[in-house]
mmCIF file of all heavy atoms in Angstrom:
data_model
loop_
_atom_site.group_PDB
_atom_site.id
_atom_site.type_symbol
_atom_site.label_atom_id
_atom_site.label_comp_id
_atom_site.label_asym_id
_atom_site.label_seq_id
_atom_site.Cartn_x
_atom_site.Cartn_y
_atom_site.Cartn_z
ATOM 1 N N MET A 110 -5.159 10.986 -2.611
ATOM 2 C CA MET A 110 -4.914 12.234 -2.018
ATOM 3 C C MET A 110 -4.734 11.954 -0.462
ATOM 4 O O MET A 110 -5.393 11.129 0.063
ATOM 5 C CB MET A 110 -6.206 13.101 -2.121
ATOM 6 C CG MET A 110 -5.974 14.496 -1.601
ATOM 7 S SD MET A 110 -7.459 15.634 -1.935
ATOM 8 C CE MET A 110 -7.256 15.933 -3.718
ATOM 9 N N THR A 111 -3.748 12.548 0.038
ATOM 10 C CA THR A 111 -3.434 12.313 1.480
ATOM 11 C C THR A 111 -4.613 13.002 2.319
ATOM 12 O O THR A 111 -5.243 13.888 1.934
ATOM 13 C CB THR A 111 -2.108 12.900 1.982
ATOM 14 O OG1 THR A 111 -2.183 14.291 1.754
ATOM 15 C CG2 THR A 111 -0.957 12.400 1.044
ATOM 16 N N GLN A 112 -4.583 12.591 3.515
ATOM 17 C CA GLN A 112 -5.663 13.034 4.429
ATOM 18 C C GLN A 112 -5.518 14.585 4.682
ATOM 19 O O GLN A 112 -6.546 15.330 4.639
ATOM 20 C CB GLN A 112 -5.556 12.366 5.797
ATOM 21 C CG GLN A 112 -6.925 12.429 6.575
ATOM 22 C CD GLN A 112 -6.917 11.607 7.769
ATOM 23 O OE1 GLN A 112 -5.893 11.297 8.352
ATOM 24 N NE2 GLN A 112 -8.084 11.033 8.134
ATOM 25 N N ASN A 113 -4.328 15.052 4.925
ATOM 26 C CA ASN A 113 -4.134 16.490 5.013
ATOM 27 C C ASN A 113 -4.457 17.280 3.788
ATOM 28 O O ASN A 113 -5.150 18.409 3.810
ATOM 29 C CB ASN A 113 -2.716 16.830 5.469
ATOM 30 C CG ASN A 113 -2.380 16.479 6.869
ATOM 31 O OD1 ASN A 113 -3.370 16.382 7.732
ATOM 32 N ND2 ASN A 113 -1.097 16.235 7.219
ATOM 33 N N ARG A 114 -4.198 16.772 2.637
ATOM 34 C CA ARG A 114 -4.537 17.473 1.362
ATOM 35 C C ARG A 114 -6.068 17.558 1.205
ATOM 36 O O ARG A 114 -6.596 18.489 0.771
ATOM 37 C CB ARG A 114 -3.837 16.882 0.206
ATOM 38 C CG ARG A 114 -2.296 17.191 0.192
ATOM 39 C CD ARG A 114 -1.626 16.602 -1.035
ATOM 40 N NE ARG A 114 -2.199 17.042 -2.302
ATOM 41 C CZ ARG A 114 -2.131 16.314 -3.482
ATOM 42 N NH1 ARG A 114 -1.525 15.168 -3.536
ATOM 43 N NH2 ARG A 114 -2.655 16.868 -4.551
ATOM 44 N N TRP A 115 -6.660 16.383 1.553
ATOM 45 C CA TRP A 115 -8.154 16.331 1.452
ATOM 46 C C TRP A 115 -8.752 17.407 2.362
ATOM 47 O O TRP A 115 -9.691 18.067 1.947
ATOM 48 C CB TRP A 115 -8.659 14.864 1.809
ATOM 49 C CG TRP A 115 -10.116 14.768 1.777
ATOM 50 C CD1 TRP A 115 -10.920 14.509 0.761
ATOM 51 C CD2 TRP A 115 -10.975 15.054 2.888
ATOM 52 N NE1 TRP A 115 -12.191 14.517 1.083
ATOM 53 C CE2 TRP A 115 -12.331 14.834 2.462
ATOM 54 C CE3 TRP A 115 -10.829 15.386 4.226
ATOM 55 C CZ2 TRP A 115 -13.460 15.027 3.227
ATOM 56 C CZ3 TRP A 115 -11.959 15.476 5.011
ATOM 57 C CH2 TRP A 115 -13.218 15.316 4.516
ATOM 58 N N ARG A 116 -8.237 17.453 3.623
ATOM 59 C CA ARG A 116 -8.905 18.437 4.531
ATOM 60 C C ARG A 116 -8.656 19.834 3.998
ATOM 61 O O ARG A 116 -9.600 20.674 4.062
ATOM 62 C CB ARG A 116 -8.131 18.334 5.890
ATOM 63 C CG ARG A 116 -8.464 17.115 6.657
ATOM 64 C CD ARG A 116 -7.762 16.967 7.880
ATOM 65 N NE ARG A 116 -8.080 15.730 8.590
ATOM 66 C CZ ARG A 116 -7.268 15.072 9.363
ATOM 67 N NH1 ARG A 116 -6.029 15.570 9.638
ATOM 68 N NH2 ARG A 116 -7.613 13.961 10.014
ATOM 69 N N ARG A 117 -7.596 20.219 3.458
ATOM 70 C CA ARG A 117 -7.297 21.475 2.943
ATOM 71 C C ARG A 117 -8.255 21.763 1.734
ATOM 72 O O ARG A 117 -8.850 22.844 1.661
ATOM 73 C CB ARG A 117 -5.812 21.706 2.477
ATOM 74 C CG ARG A 117 -4.960 22.031 3.627
ATOM 75 C CD ARG A 117 -3.542 22.515 3.244
ATOM 76 N NE ARG A 117 -2.899 21.540 2.361
ATOM 77 C CZ ARG A 117 -2.118 20.574 2.820
ATOM 78 N NH1 ARG A 117 -1.839 20.494 3.987
ATOM 79 N NH2 ARG A 117 -1.523 19.790 1.917
ATOM 80 N N ALA A 118 -8.400 20.758 0.877
ATOM 81 C CA ALA A 118 -9.310 20.893 -0.203
ATOM 82 C C ALA A 118 -10.726 21.097 0.178
ATOM 83 O O ALA A 118 -11.472 21.831 -0.443
ATOM 84 C CB ALA A 118 -9.171 19.660 -1.147
ATOM 85 N N ALA A 119 -11.145 20.591 1.295
ATOM 86 C CA ALA A 119 -12.498 20.710 1.871
ATOM 87 C C ALA A 119 -12.691 21.979 2.577
ATOM 88 O O ALA A 119 -13.722 22.248 3.117
ATOM 89 C CB ALA A 119 -12.895 19.467 2.672
ATOM 90 N N GLY A 120 -11.634 22.718 2.810
ATOM 91 C CA GLY A 120 -11.746 23.956 3.593
ATOM 92 C C GLY A 120 -11.568 23.792 5.036
ATOM 93 O O GLY A 120 -11.888 24.757 5.781
ATOM 94 N N VAL A 121 -11.088 22.608 5.490
ATOM 95 C CA VAL A 121 -10.972 22.352 6.898
ATOM 96 C C VAL A 121 -9.582 22.901 7.326
ATOM 97 O O VAL A 121 -8.521 22.554 6.812
ATOM 98 C CB VAL A 121 -11.072 20.857 7.245
ATOM 99 C CG1 VAL A 121 -10.804 20.602 8.706
ATOM 100 C CG2 VAL A 121 -12.402 20.406 6.807
ATOM 101 N N GLU A 122 -9.643 23.863 8.230
ATOM 102 C CA GLU A 122 -8.344 24.515 8.750
ATOM 103 C C GLU A 122 -7.821 23.775 9.987
ATOM 104 O O GLU A 122 -6.613 23.623 10.068
ATOM 105 C CB GLU A 122 -8.562 25.928 8.997
ATOM 106 C CG GLU A 122 -8.855 26.777 7.747
ATOM 107 C CD GLU A 122 -9.142 28.229 8.066
ATOM 108 O OE1 GLU A 122 -8.669 28.696 9.146
ATOM 109 O OE2 GLU A 122 -9.783 28.922 7.248
ATOM 110 N N LYS A 123 -8.658 23.449 10.880
ATOM 111 C CA LYS A 123 -8.246 22.843 12.146
ATOM 112 C C LYS A 123 -9.083 21.680 12.485
ATOM 113 O O LYS A 123 -10.354 21.749 12.266
ATOM 114 C CB LYS A 123 -8.201 23.883 13.307
ATOM 115 C CG LYS A 123 -7.294 25.022 13.085
ATOM 116 C CD LYS A 123 -7.447 25.938 14.317
ATOM 117 C CE LYS A 123 -6.483 27.129 14.093
ATOM 118 N NZ LYS A 123 -6.641 28.061 15.131
ATOM 119 N N ILE A 124 -8.528 20.613 13.025
ATOM 120 C CA ILE A 124 -9.308 19.520 13.433
ATOM 121 C C ILE A 124 -8.840 19.260 14.923
ATOM 122 O O ILE A 124 -7.694 19.216 15.232
ATOM 123 C CB ILE A 124 -9.104 18.300 12.604
ATOM 124 C CG1 ILE A 124 -9.567 18.590 11.201
ATOM 125 C CG2 ILE A 124 -9.745 17.013 13.277
ATOM 126 C CD1 ILE A 124 -9.386 17.458 10.273
ATOM 127 N N PHE A 125 -9.789 19.078 15.784
ATOM 128 C CA PHE A 125 -9.491 18.770 17.225
ATOM 129 C C PHE A 125 -10.202 17.525 17.572
ATOM 130 O O PHE A 125 -11.289 17.158 17.109
ATOM 131 C CB PHE A 125 -10.014 19.948 18.113
ATOM 132 C CG PHE A 125 -9.489 21.243 17.771
ATOM 133 C CD1 PHE A 125 -9.988 22.095 16.954
ATOM 134 C CD2 PHE A 125 -8.171 21.573 18.381
ATOM 135 C CE1 PHE A 125 -9.447 23.300 16.563
ATOM 136 C CE2 PHE A 125 -7.586 22.784 18.033
ATOM 137 C CZ PHE A 125 -8.163 23.614 17.164
ATOM 138 N N THR A 126 -9.605 16.714 18.389
ATOM 139 C CA THR A 126 -10.108 15.512 18.922
ATOM 140 C C THR A 126 -10.234 15.578 20.442
ATOM 141 O O THR A 126 -9.509 16.323 21.077
ATOM 142 C CB THR A 126 -9.271 14.295 18.552
ATOM 143 O OG1 THR A 126 -7.950 14.448 19.129
ATOM 144 C CG2 THR A 126 -9.136 14.173 17.065
ATOM 145 N N ALA A 127 -11.088 14.780 20.989
ATOM 146 C CA ALA A 127 -11.315 14.781 22.434
ATOM 147 C C ALA A 127 -11.519 13.299 22.896
ATOM 148 O O ALA A 127 -12.099 12.535 22.134
ATOM 149 C CB ALA A 127 -12.472 15.692 22.869
ATOM 150 N N ASP A 128 -11.046 12.941 24.029
ATOM 151 C CA ASP A 128 -11.238 11.615 24.439
ATOM 152 C C ASP A 128 -12.538 11.372 25.224
ATOM 153 O O ASP A 128 -12.967 10.266 25.380
ATOM 154 C CB ASP A 128 -10.062 11.239 25.480
ATOM 155 C CG ASP A 128 -8.754 11.095 24.676
ATOM 156 O OD1 ASP A 128 -8.704 10.628 23.516
ATOM 157 O OD2 ASP A 128 -7.723 11.555 25.275
ATOM 158 N N THR A 129 -13.107 12.433 25.709
ATOM 159 C CA THR A 129 -14.403 12.322 26.487
ATOM 160 C C THR A 129 -15.404 13.417 26.043
ATOM 161 O O THR A 129 -14.956 14.441 25.368
ATOM 162 C CB THR A 129 -14.136 12.611 27.948
ATOM 163 O OG1 THR A 129 -13.707 13.876 28.206
ATOM 164 C CG2 THR A 129 -13.080 11.601 28.438
ATOM 165 N N HIS A 130 -16.607 13.197 26.292
ATOM 166 C CA HIS A 130 -17.650 14.216 26.046
ATOM 167 C C HIS A 130 -17.311 15.546 26.789
ATOM 168 O O HIS A 130 -17.452 16.648 26.299
ATOM 169 C CB HIS A 130 -19.068 13.704 26.470
ATOM 170 C CG HIS A 130 -19.512 12.580 25.720
ATOM 171 N ND1 HIS A 130 -19.590 11.295 26.225
ATOM 172 C CD2 HIS A 130 -19.952 12.429 24.391
ATOM 173 C CE1 HIS A 130 -20.004 10.388 25.305
ATOM 174 N NE2 HIS A 130 -20.225 11.106 24.169
ATOM 175 N N GLU A 131 -16.855 15.384 27.976
ATOM 176 C CA GLU A 131 -16.523 16.477 28.823
ATOM 177 C C GLU A 131 -15.450 17.355 28.237
ATOM 178 O O GLU A 131 -15.424 18.617 28.221
ATOM 179 C CB GLU A 131 -16.106 16.130 30.246
ATOM 180 C CG GLU A 131 -17.352 15.584 31.026
ATOM 181 C CD GLU A 131 -17.678 14.079 30.621
ATOM 182 O OE1 GLU A 131 -16.906 13.435 29.987
ATOM 183 O OE2 GLU A 131 -18.757 13.715 31.074
ATOM 184 N N GLN A 132 -14.358 16.746 27.713
ATOM 185 C CA GLN A 132 -13.244 17.443 26.952
ATOM 186 C C GLN A 132 -13.813 18.182 25.788
ATOM 187 O O GLN A 132 -13.448 19.382 25.540
ATOM 188 C CB GLN A 132 -12.164 16.496 26.562
ATOM 189 C CG GLN A 132 -11.264 15.995 27.634
ATOM 190 C CD GLN A 132 -10.220 15.066 27.056
ATOM 191 O OE1 GLN A 132 -10.343 14.481 26.005
ATOM 192 N NE2 GLN A 132 -9.125 14.957 27.814
ATOM 193 N N ALA A 133 -14.648 17.499 25.006
ATOM 194 C CA ALA A 133 -15.170 18.209 23.750
ATOM 195 C C ALA A 133 -16.009 19.412 24.151
ATOM 196 O O ALA A 133 -15.896 20.470 23.561
ATOM 197 C CB ALA A 133 -16.042 17.236 22.978
ATOM 198 N N ALA A 134 -16.936 19.254 25.225
ATOM 199 C CA ALA A 134 -17.757 20.357 25.637
ATOM 200 C C ALA A 134 -16.843 21.539 26.140
ATOM 201 O O ALA A 134 -17.172 22.672 25.839
ATOM 202 C CB ALA A 134 -18.718 19.898 26.582
ATOM 203 N N GLY A 135 -15.854 21.199 26.935
ATOM 204 C CA GLY A 135 -15.027 22.189 27.430
ATOM 205 C C GLY A 135 -14.372 23.050 26.323
ATOM 206 O O GLY A 135 -14.314 24.210 26.437
ATOM 207 N N TYR A 136 -13.832 22.400 25.301
ATOM 208 C CA TYR A 136 -13.214 23.061 24.228
ATOM 209 C C TYR A 136 -14.247 23.909 23.477
ATOM 210 O O TYR A 136 -13.979 25.076 23.217
ATOM 211 C CB TYR A 136 -12.567 22.102 23.322
ATOM 212 C CG TYR A 136 -11.891 22.758 22.083
ATOM 213 C CD1 TYR A 136 -10.792 23.599 22.371
ATOM 214 C CD2 TYR A 136 -12.461 22.777 20.888
ATOM 215 C CE1 TYR A 136 -10.212 24.327 21.244
ATOM 216 C CE2 TYR A 136 -11.932 23.464 19.837
ATOM 217 C CZ TYR A 136 -10.781 24.233 20.033
ATOM 218 O OH TYR A 136 -10.242 24.933 18.992
ATOM 219 N N LEU A 137 -15.377 23.361 23.255
ATOM 220 C CA LEU A 137 -16.433 24.174 22.571
ATOM 221 C C LEU A 137 -16.814 25.356 23.322
ATOM 222 O O LEU A 137 -17.006 26.415 22.818
ATOM 223 C CB LEU A 137 -17.653 23.229 22.253
ATOM 224 C CG LEU A 137 -17.418 22.224 21.159
ATOM 225 C CD1 LEU A 137 -18.586 21.280 21.077
ATOM 226 C CD2 LEU A 137 -17.182 22.871 19.822
ATOM 227 N N ARG A 138 -16.955 25.257 24.624
ATOM 228 C CA ARG A 138 -17.285 26.429 25.496
ATOM 229 C C ARG A 138 -16.250 27.536 25.342
ATOM 230 O O ARG A 138 -16.510 28.666 25.338
ATOM 231 C CB ARG A 138 -17.443 26.031 26.888
ATOM 232 C CG ARG A 138 -18.796 25.382 27.217
ATOM 233 C CD ARG A 138 -19.070 25.308 28.720
ATOM 234 N NE ARG A 138 -18.002 24.530 29.374
ATOM 235 C CZ ARG A 138 -18.145 23.174 29.706
ATOM 236 N NH1 ARG A 138 -19.155 22.491 29.298
ATOM 237 N NH2 ARG A 138 -17.161 22.612 30.332
ATOM 238 N N GLU A 139 -14.987 27.144 25.108
ATOM 239 C CA GLU A 139 -13.921 28.088 24.960
ATOM 240 C C GLU A 139 -13.980 28.818 23.659
ATOM 241 O O GLU A 139 -13.683 30.002 23.590
ATOM 242 C CB GLU A 139 -12.568 27.370 25.087
ATOM 243 C CG GLU A 139 -12.160 26.912 26.516
ATOM 244 C CD GLU A 139 -10.867 26.208 26.496
ATOM 245 O OE1 GLU A 139 -10.048 26.377 25.593
ATOM 246 O OE2 GLU A 139 -10.605 25.472 27.528
ATOM 247 N N ILE A 140 -14.333 28.132 22.570
ATOM 248 C CA ILE A 140 -14.260 28.722 21.229
ATOM 249 C C ILE A 140 -15.555 29.324 20.680
ATOM 250 O O ILE A 140 -15.478 30.188 19.765
ATOM 251 C CB ILE A 140 -13.608 27.747 20.203
ATOM 252 C CG1 ILE A 140 -14.520 26.549 19.925
ATOM 253 C CG2 ILE A 140 -12.189 27.323 20.597
ATOM 254 C CD1 ILE A 140 -14.145 25.744 18.773
ATOM 255 N N LEU A 141 -16.629 28.843 21.189
ATOM 256 C CA LEU A 141 -17.948 29.315 20.687
ATOM 257 C C LEU A 141 -18.261 30.732 21.066
ATOM 258 O O LEU A 141 -17.976 31.139 22.110
ATOM 259 C CB LEU A 141 -19.027 28.413 21.074
ATOM 260 C CG LEU A 141 -19.013 27.049 20.502
ATOM 261 C CD1 LEU A 141 -20.123 26.108 21.059
ATOM 262 C CD2 LEU A 141 -19.150 27.028 18.956
ATOM 263 N N THR A 142 -18.960 31.406 20.109
ATOM 264 C CA THR A 142 -19.326 32.849 20.427
ATOM 265 C C THR A 142 -20.850 32.871 20.040
ATOM 266 O O THR A 142 -21.394 32.039 19.323
ATOM 267 C CB THR A 142 -18.565 33.920 19.653
ATOM 268 O OG1 THR A 142 -18.787 33.662 18.285
ATOM 269 C CG2 THR A 142 -17.096 33.835 19.992
ATOM 270 N N ASP A 143 -21.509 33.939 20.540
ATOM 271 C CA ASP A 143 -22.925 34.103 20.190
ATOM 272 C C ASP A 143 -23.137 34.124 18.779
ATOM 273 O O ASP A 143 -22.373 34.750 18.018
ATOM 274 C CB ASP A 143 -23.448 35.437 20.805
ATOM 275 C CG ASP A 143 -23.578 35.422 22.339
ATOM 276 O OD1 ASP A 143 -23.642 34.211 22.923
ATOM 277 O OD2 ASP A 143 -23.706 36.482 22.920
ATOM 278 N N GLY A 144 -24.199 33.355 18.350
ATOM 279 C CA GLY A 144 -24.503 33.258 16.920
ATOM 280 C C GLY A 144 -23.842 32.082 16.148
ATOM 281 O O GLY A 144 -24.249 31.880 15.020
ATOM 282 N N ASP A 145 -22.950 31.407 16.799
ATOM 283 C CA ASP A 145 -22.302 30.256 16.153
ATOM 284 C C ASP A 145 -23.318 29.130 16.005
ATOM 285 O O ASP A 145 -24.187 28.934 16.827
ATOM 286 C CB ASP A 145 -21.120 29.778 16.921
ATOM 287 C CG ASP A 145 -19.940 30.681 16.814
ATOM 288 O OD1 ASP A 145 -19.875 31.528 15.970
ATOM 289 O OD2 ASP A 145 -18.909 30.414 17.587
ATOM 290 N N THR A 146 -23.150 28.361 14.911
ATOM 291 C CA THR A 146 -23.975 27.172 14.671
ATOM 292 C C THR A 146 -23.101 25.951 14.627
ATOM 293 O O THR A 146 -21.983 26.009 14.003
ATOM 294 C CB THR A 146 -24.760 27.368 13.250
ATOM 295 O OG1 THR A 146 -25.557 28.512 13.306
ATOM 296 C CG2 THR A 146 -25.590 26.062 12.989
ATOM 297 N N ILE A 147 -23.569 24.891 15.220
ATOM 298 C CA ILE A 147 -22.690 23.675 15.289
ATOM 299 C C ILE A 147 -23.570 22.548 14.737
ATOM 300 O O ILE A 147 -24.779 22.430 15.087
ATOM 301 C CB ILE A 147 -22.405 23.305 16.744
ATOM 302 C CG1 ILE A 147 -21.659 24.417 17.457
ATOM 303 C CG2 ILE A 147 -21.483 22.026 16.705
ATOM 304 C CD1 ILE A 147 -21.640 24.185 18.942
ATOM 305 N N LEU A 148 -22.965 21.716 13.891
ATOM 306 C CA LEU A 148 -23.601 20.568 13.357
ATOM 307 C C LEU A 148 -22.910 19.351 14.113
ATOM 308 O O LEU A 148 -21.742 19.167 13.964
ATOM 309 C CB LEU A 148 -23.452 20.325 11.868
ATOM 310 C CG LEU A 148 -23.879 19.067 11.260
ATOM 311 C CD1 LEU A 148 -25.336 18.794 11.525
ATOM 312 C CD2 LEU A 148 -23.548 18.943 9.830
ATOM 313 N N PHE A 149 -23.651 18.604 14.890
ATOM 314 C CA PHE A 149 -23.136 17.311 15.527
ATOM 315 C C PHE A 149 -23.523 16.217 14.629
ATOM 316 O O PHE A 149 -24.693 16.000 14.285
ATOM 317 C CB PHE A 149 -23.771 17.171 16.860
ATOM 318 C CG PHE A 149 -23.172 18.120 17.894
ATOM 319 C CD1 PHE A 149 -23.744 19.356 18.075
ATOM 320 C CD2 PHE A 149 -22.081 17.818 18.692
ATOM 321 C CE1 PHE A 149 -23.239 20.241 19.052
ATOM 322 C CE2 PHE A 149 -21.549 18.634 19.627
ATOM 323 C CZ PHE A 149 -22.104 19.932 19.738
ATOM 324 N N LYS A 150 -22.558 15.383 14.324
ATOM 325 C CA LYS A 150 -22.724 14.180 13.497
ATOM 326 C C LYS A 150 -22.078 13.020 14.144
ATOM 327 O O LYS A 150 -20.878 13.070 14.442
ATOM 328 C CB LYS A 150 -22.238 14.414 12.094
ATOM 329 C CG LYS A 150 -22.318 13.266 11.175
ATOM 330 C CD LYS A 150 -23.770 13.051 10.672
ATOM 331 C CE LYS A 150 -23.885 11.945 9.622
ATOM 332 N NZ LYS A 150 -24.419 10.787 10.129
ATOM 333 N N GLY A 151 -22.777 11.934 14.389
ATOM 334 C CA GLY A 151 -22.109 10.811 15.034
ATOM 335 C C GLY A 151 -23.203 9.721 15.071
ATOM 336 O O GLY A 151 -24.349 9.956 14.987
ATOM 337 N N SER A 152 -22.802 8.491 15.273
ATOM 338 C CA SER A 152 -23.732 7.432 15.481
ATOM 339 C C SER A 152 -24.315 7.533 16.787
ATOM 340 O O SER A 152 -23.942 8.242 17.738
ATOM 341 C CB SER A 152 -22.899 6.060 15.378
ATOM 342 O OG SER A 152 -22.159 5.908 16.558
ATOM 343 N N ARG A 153 -25.486 6.897 17.021
ATOM 344 C CA ARG A 153 -26.249 6.923 18.243
ATOM 345 C C ARG A 153 -25.329 6.347 19.407
ATOM 346 O O ARG A 153 -25.394 6.758 20.575
ATOM 347 C CB ARG A 153 -27.555 6.036 18.152
ATOM 348 C CG ARG A 153 -28.583 6.642 17.274
ATOM 349 C CD ARG A 153 -29.165 7.941 17.826
ATOM 350 N NE ARG A 153 -29.728 7.785 19.136
ATOM 351 C CZ ARG A 153 -29.634 8.668 20.147
ATOM 352 N NH1 ARG A 153 -28.938 9.807 19.970
ATOM 353 N NH2 ARG A 153 -30.159 8.357 21.238
ATOM 354 N N ALA A 154 -24.525 5.437 19.027
ATOM 355 C CA ALA A 154 -23.613 4.754 20.055
ATOM 356 C C ALA A 154 -22.611 5.805 20.634
ATOM 357 O O ALA A 154 -22.197 5.645 21.738
ATOM 358 C CB ALA A 154 -22.885 3.606 19.441
ATOM 359 N N MET A 155 -22.262 6.847 19.848
ATOM 360 C CA MET A 155 -21.361 7.868 20.326
ATOM 361 C C MET A 155 -21.993 8.822 21.355
ATOM 362 O O MET A 155 -21.266 9.603 22.019
ATOM 363 C CB MET A 155 -20.804 8.638 19.156
ATOM 364 C CG MET A 155 -19.875 7.782 18.230
ATOM 365 S SD MET A 155 -19.294 8.735 16.843
ATOM 366 C CE MET A 155 -18.055 9.815 17.725
ATOM 367 N N ARG A 156 -23.309 8.888 21.368
ATOM 368 C CA ARG A 156 -24.026 9.750 22.305
ATOM 369 C C ARG A 156 -23.619 11.250 22.230
ATOM 370 O O ARG A 156 -23.339 11.856 23.228
ATOM 371 C CB ARG A 156 -23.936 9.224 23.765
ATOM 372 C CG ARG A 156 -24.420 7.804 23.835
ATOM 373 C CD ARG A 156 -24.786 7.371 25.311
ATOM 374 N NE ARG A 156 -25.620 8.283 25.919
ATOM 375 C CZ ARG A 156 -25.552 8.765 27.150
ATOM 376 N NH1 ARG A 156 -24.614 8.289 27.939
ATOM 377 N NH2 ARG A 156 -26.336 9.615 27.720
ATOM 378 N N MET A 157 -23.571 11.740 21.017
ATOM 379 C CA MET A 157 -23.240 13.181 20.865
ATOM 380 C C MET A 157 -24.038 14.105 21.544
ATOM 381 O O MET A 157 -23.658 15.177 21.907
ATOM 382 C CB MET A 157 -23.095 13.467 19.327
ATOM 383 C CG MET A 157 -22.150 12.591 18.515
ATOM 384 S SD MET A 157 -20.502 12.788 19.010
ATOM 385 C CE MET A 157 -20.062 14.268 18.194
ATOM 386 N N GLU A 158 -25.309 13.725 21.863
ATOM 387 C CA GLU A 158 -26.210 14.624 22.545
ATOM 388 C C GLU A 158 -25.714 14.946 23.926
ATOM 389 O O GLU A 158 -26.027 15.990 24.498
ATOM 390 C CB GLU A 158 -27.643 14.011 22.596
ATOM 391 C CG GLU A 158 -27.745 12.785 23.490
ATOM 392 C CD GLU A 158 -27.462 11.518 22.907
ATOM 393 O OE1 GLU A 158 -26.988 11.398 21.711
ATOM 394 O OE2 GLU A 158 -27.623 10.421 23.518
ATOM 395 N N LYS A 159 -24.788 14.115 24.473
ATOM 396 C CA LYS A 159 -24.208 14.414 25.736
ATOM 397 C C LYS A 159 -23.396 15.720 25.749
ATOM 398 O O LYS A 159 -23.408 16.461 26.676
ATOM 399 C CB LYS A 159 -23.395 13.219 26.235
ATOM 400 C CG LYS A 159 -22.673 13.456 27.545
ATOM 401 C CD LYS A 159 -22.865 12.322 28.539
ATOM 402 C CE LYS A 159 -21.975 12.504 29.692
ATOM 403 N NZ LYS A 159 -22.671 12.756 30.898
ATOM 404 N N ILE A 160 -22.667 15.879 24.573
ATOM 405 C CA ILE A 160 -21.883 17.157 24.504
ATOM 406 C C ILE A 160 -22.844 18.356 24.447
ATOM 407 O O ILE A 160 -22.580 19.330 25.068
ATOM 408 C CB ILE A 160 -21.091 17.094 23.188
ATOM 409 C CG1 ILE A 160 -20.098 15.948 23.299
ATOM 410 C CG2 ILE A 160 -20.330 18.463 22.995
ATOM 411 C CD1 ILE A 160 -19.335 15.645 21.969
ATOM 412 N N ILE A 161 -23.946 18.282 23.788
ATOM 413 C CA ILE A 161 -24.936 19.315 23.710
ATOM 414 C C ILE A 161 -25.477 19.621 25.052
ATOM 415 O O ILE A 161 -25.514 20.848 25.522
ATOM 416 C CB ILE A 161 -26.128 18.982 22.741
ATOM 417 C CG1 ILE A 161 -25.545 18.755 21.312
ATOM 418 C CG2 ILE A 161 -27.169 20.060 22.769
ATOM 419 C CD1 ILE A 161 -26.535 18.196 20.413
ATOM 420 N N GLU A 162 -25.707 18.625 25.874
ATOM 421 C CA GLU A 162 -26.226 18.828 27.281
ATOM 422 C C GLU A 162 -25.108 19.607 28.106
ATOM 423 O O GLU A 162 -25.502 20.443 28.954
ATOM 424 C CB GLU A 162 -26.579 17.437 27.926
ATOM 425 C CG GLU A 162 -27.732 16.777 27.309
ATOM 426 C CD GLU A 162 -27.889 15.409 27.790
ATOM 427 O OE1 GLU A 162 -27.137 14.920 28.702
ATOM 428 O OE2 GLU A 162 -28.744 14.662 27.298
ATOM 429 N N LEU A 163 -23.836 19.317 27.897
ATOM 430 C CA LEU A 163 -22.699 19.807 28.670
ATOM 431 C C LEU A 163 -22.387 21.278 28.216
ATOM 432 O O LEU A 163 -21.827 21.980 29.087
ATOM 433 C CB LEU A 163 -21.515 18.952 28.512
ATOM 434 C CG LEU A 163 -21.665 17.596 29.140
ATOM 435 C CD1 LEU A 163 -20.452 16.693 28.725
ATOM 436 C CD2 LEU A 163 -21.753 17.716 30.632
ATOM 437 N N ILE A 164 -22.693 21.668 27.044
ATOM 438 C CA ILE A 164 -22.282 23.071 26.669
ATOM 439 C C ILE A 164 -23.588 23.949 26.976
ATOM 440 O O ILE A 164 -23.423 25.068 27.064
ATOM 441 C CB ILE A 164 -21.872 23.182 25.203
ATOM 442 C CG1 ILE A 164 -22.926 22.747 24.158
ATOM 443 C CG2 ILE A 164 -20.557 22.483 25.031
ATOM 444 C CD1 ILE A 164 -22.567 22.998 22.759
#
């Protein structure tokens, strides 16, 4: 199954990438609304907690 077909099958409508923690946090600040829940998943080396600190 191609990657795009897999994403559709999994219910993923949009995928966004960011080169920095700051870019990711900026985008999330734009799209998040009160009551939204986010699951952050990444290795410790990726330091995903930095995005949480920035938003």
Side-chain angles (χ1 to χ4, degrees):
M110 185 178 287
T111 67
Q112 200 170 32
N113 285 336
R114 286 181 61 202
W115 177 87
R116 289 175 181 154
R117 282 194 300 271
V121 177
E122 295 179 19
K123 295 180 183 177
I124 295 176
F125 299 93
T126 61
D128 293 324
T129 66
H130 295 108
E131 291 77 13
Q132 283 180 341
Y136 179 70
L137 289 171
R138 281 192 299 267
E139 289 178 18
I140 66 167
L141 292 175
T142 60
D143 287 344
D145 285 349
T146 301
I147 307 168
L148 170 65
F149 285 90
K150 177 75 174 106
S152 68
R153 293 291 303 138
M155 292 180 72
R156 299 197 57 220
M157 300 297 281
E158 69 274 8
K159 177 131 172 113
I160 299 171
I161 297 168
E162 293 169 4
L163 293 168
I164 59 172

